[in-house]
Amino acid sequence: MFRLLVAALVISSVGWCSSVDAQGFRGGRGGGPGGGPGRGPGGGHGPDARQAEDMEVFHYLLENHTKIERTVKELPNGVETLTESDDPKVAAKIKEHVHWMEVRIEKTNPIRRRDPLFAEIFRHTDKIKMNVEKTKSGVKVTETSDDPYVVKLIQAHAMVVSKFVNDGFQEAMKNHPVPGKDGAVKTETVFPAIQGHGGVYQLPTATQQPRPGTKIMVDVTASSDPDKLNPAIEKVARYVNIYAGAGKEKVDANIALVFHGGATLDVLNEAVYNAEFKTEKNPNLELLRDLHHAGVEMYVCGQTLSAKGKSPDDVVVFVDTAVSAFTASVNLQADGYAYVPLAK
């Protein structure tokens, strides 16, 4: 944990957040208690023999937050905090927490990296000066910095720690924004690759970001109203847009569509489709053409096509006819494509 932890009451902060991990909010990449081996700021892995013990202390402090008294005095260059308890056991746990958080700082083994504020503070521990003084009933910490931005982080963190003391687990379950950064969720959709279809939300800080070189085979089987765009094709446009701009950065991905079952006739050229369904046009072709221009490969099942009385010549020019959807699926998966079924 960052020195701030130790600083701003090291007790409530870091620890408490980690306790939340122990409560079942542990998840994948954060490491720390319940999340696998601890990780240093460089992302390295390493065993953490103290995790279980620290988690118990954090959990205990959260459960007994009503027995903790905390005051915060803002300084021009930081904060001065006093965290104590009249309960000797709680006071002892406060001191224990501070001690082991200091050890974590020295060993660059933080906790609660998923919280934006805590993660940001940890990136600037080299700019934080602190003085820890044990009292009879707890800990007094003075935390300062010569960097104005880090001072804001210290003060924001101190306020969050006070919320932990006031509300316990209820507050520890929350993430906390970095001061000066807009923490609001952007709710407008964007269309980075396919315009007008498959809108996505940009989430540059979310986990499980799109990976470059991803290969996806989308199995499209469901039919739709002949006069309307097949919603499965709309979803494929969203997949393309996700890789083109929903994450931190645009990444290249190989996406292939295989049409069979009820979706087979969606890829007929205009004239054949109109004759088959008595419509003015094939409502799928415009978006299919945009997907083709975006680099999406498209195949239709030759077996189903023939069974429905159609031939490869009846298919729009940018969709290839495979011997069968089965062979296309097997071949693509053998080439490393992840299989994604899309019935509708």
Side-chain angles (χ1 to χ4, degrees):
M1 237 108 266
F2 1 110
R3 331 189 154 184
L4 176 78
L5 285 188
V6 177
L9 166 166
V10 155
I11 156 170
S12 336
S13 358
V14 175
W16 299 27
C17 307
S18 291
S19 281
V20 175
D21 289 342
Q23 285 289 298
F25 298 90
R26 32 186 98 164
R29 297 218 170 197
R39 303 177 65 179
H45 295 265
D48 183 356
R50 274 292 310 180
Q51 282 185 1
E53 291 88 344
D54 286 347
M55 187 168 62
E56 284 187 19
V57 175
F58 301 154
H59 196 164
Y60 179 87
L61 291 172
L62 284 172
E63 289 181 333
N64 291 276
H65 70 98
T66 58
K67 298 179 181 179
I68 297 173
E69 298 277 337
R70 175 176 166 83
T71 59
V72 177
K73 177 182 178 182
E74 284 200 359
L75 307 174
N77 60 345
V79 294
E80 179 183 281
T81 64
L82 179 63
T83 308
E84 296 181 313
S85 176
D86 292 334
D87 185 316
K89 186 174 180 179
V90 175
K93 291 295 184 182
I94 291 172
K95 295 175 183 179
E96 180 182 354
H97 175 85
V98 171
H99 168 72
W100 286 108
M101 289 307 100
E102 287 181 297
V103 172
R104 284 185 175 278
I105 292 170
E106 293 174 3
K107 295 183 178 295
T108 63
N109 189 14
I111 301 176
R112 192 178 172 87
R113 287 173 300 277
R114 299 185 199 97
D115 190 315
L117 176 59
F118 285 72
E120 183 69 6
I121 289 170
F122 185 74
R123 295 187 186 101
H124 299 279
T125 53
D126 60 324
K127 298 178 182 178
I128 295 175
K129 302 172 186 177
M130 68 179 184
N131 179 65
V132 178
E133 177 186 341
K134 291 183 179 179
T135 68
K136 180 180 178 180
S137 303
V139 179
K140 179 180 179 181
V141 177
T142 302
E143 193 168 16
T144 60
S145 177
D146 295 329
D147 186 316
Y149 174 67
V150 178
V151 171
K152 291 181 180 180
L153 293 177
I154 291 171
Q155 293 173 343
H157 172 271
M159 294 303 101
V160 168
V161 173
S162 294
K163 291 180 180 179
F164 291 156
V165 172
N166 290 335
D167 301 326
F169 282 111
Q170 181 178 346
E171 186 65 31
M173 292 180 193
K174 301 176 182 178
N175 283 324
H176 301 89
V178 176
K181 292 188 178 181
D182 184 7
V185 177
K186 295 181 179 180
T187 57
E188 69 273 12
T189 54
V190 296
F191 304 87
I194 307 297
Q195 294 300 310
H197 294 280
V200 296
Y201 301 98
Q202 292 181 304
L203 298 168
T205 63
T207 189
Q208 292 295 350
Q209 290 283 320
R211 296 179 183 177
T214 295
K215 297 180 177 181
I216 304 168
M217 187 215 106
V218 184
D219 192 19
V220 183
T221 59
S223 60
S224 62
D225 187 329
D227 290 317
K228 297 179 180 178
L229 172 67
N230 189 329
I233 301 174
E234 176 83 19
K235 289 182 181 179
V236 175
R238 183 170 294 110
Y239 298 163
V240 173
N241 282 331
I242 283 174
Y243 281 85
K248 183 177 181 181
E249 57 188 5
K250 176 183 178 180
V251 298
D252 293 328
N254 298 315
I255 299 179
L257 308 188
V258 177
F259 293 89
H260 62 113
T264 302
L265 301 185
D266 288 350
V267 300
L268 294 176
N269 65 46
E270 201 83 84
V272 177
Y273 190 94
N274 294 349
E276 177 71 19
F277 295 108
K278 310 304 182 208
T279 60
E280 294 183 1
K281 65 177 184 176
N282 181 344
N284 303 295
L285 291 190
E286 183 177 352
L287 181 52
L288 289 175
R289 182 195 61 212
D290 290 345
L291 292 172
H292 168 67
H293 289 162
V296 176
E297 303 172 38
M298 287 175 269
Y299 305 94
V300 65
C301 176
Q303 299 302 305
T304 307
L305 192 68
S306 298
K308 291 180 178 291
K310 300 297 184 288
S311 74
D313 291 337
D314 297 327
V315 175
V316 68
V317 67
F318 48 77
V319 176
D320 294 320
T321 301
V323 167
S324 68
F326 169 72
T327 54
S329 177
V330 170
N331 291 343
L332 287 166
Q333 290 182 74
D335 290 338
Y337 281 71
Y339 176 77
V340 178
L342 198 54
K344 58 182 179 178

PDB file of all heavy atoms in Angstrom, residues 286 302 321:
ATOM      1  N   GLU A 286     -26.411  -3.638 -47.250  1.00  0.00           N
ATOM      2  CA  GLU A 286     -25.647  -2.412 -46.993  1.00  0.00           C
ATOM      3  C   GLU A 286     -24.673  -2.610 -45.833  1.00  0.00           C
ATOM      4  O   GLU A 286     -23.491  -2.248 -45.921  1.00  0.00           O
ATOM      5  CB  GLU A 286     -26.591  -1.249 -46.703  1.00  0.00           C
ATOM      6  CG  GLU A 286     -25.863   0.068 -46.491  1.00  0.00           C
ATOM      7  CD  GLU A 286     -26.810   1.228 -46.265  1.00  0.00           C
ATOM      8  OE1 GLU A 286     -28.043   1.037 -46.413  1.00  0.00           O
ATOM      9  OE2 GLU A 286     -26.328   2.329 -45.942  1.00  0.00           O
ATOM     10  N   GLY A 302     -22.637 -23.980 -48.069  1.00  0.00           N
ATOM     11  CA  GLY A 302     -23.040 -24.461 -49.382  1.00  0.00           C
ATOM     12  C   GLY A 302     -24.095 -25.540 -49.318  1.00  0.00           C
ATOM     13  O   GLY A 302     -24.944 -25.645 -50.217  1.00  0.00           O
ATOM     14  N   THR A 321     -18.761 -19.011 -50.681  1.00  0.00           N
ATOM     15  CA  THR A 321     -19.527 -20.212 -50.361  1.00  0.00           C
ATOM     16  C   THR A 321     -18.580 -21.310 -49.891  1.00  0.00           C
ATOM     17  O   THR A 321     -17.647 -21.683 -50.616  1.00  0.00           O
ATOM     18  CB  THR A 321     -20.319 -20.712 -51.578  1.00  0.00           C
ATOM     19  OG1 THR A 321     -21.212 -19.669 -52.001  1.00  0.00           O
ATOM     20  CG2 THR A 321     -21.128 -21.952 -51.234  1.00  0.00           C
TER      21      THR A 321
END
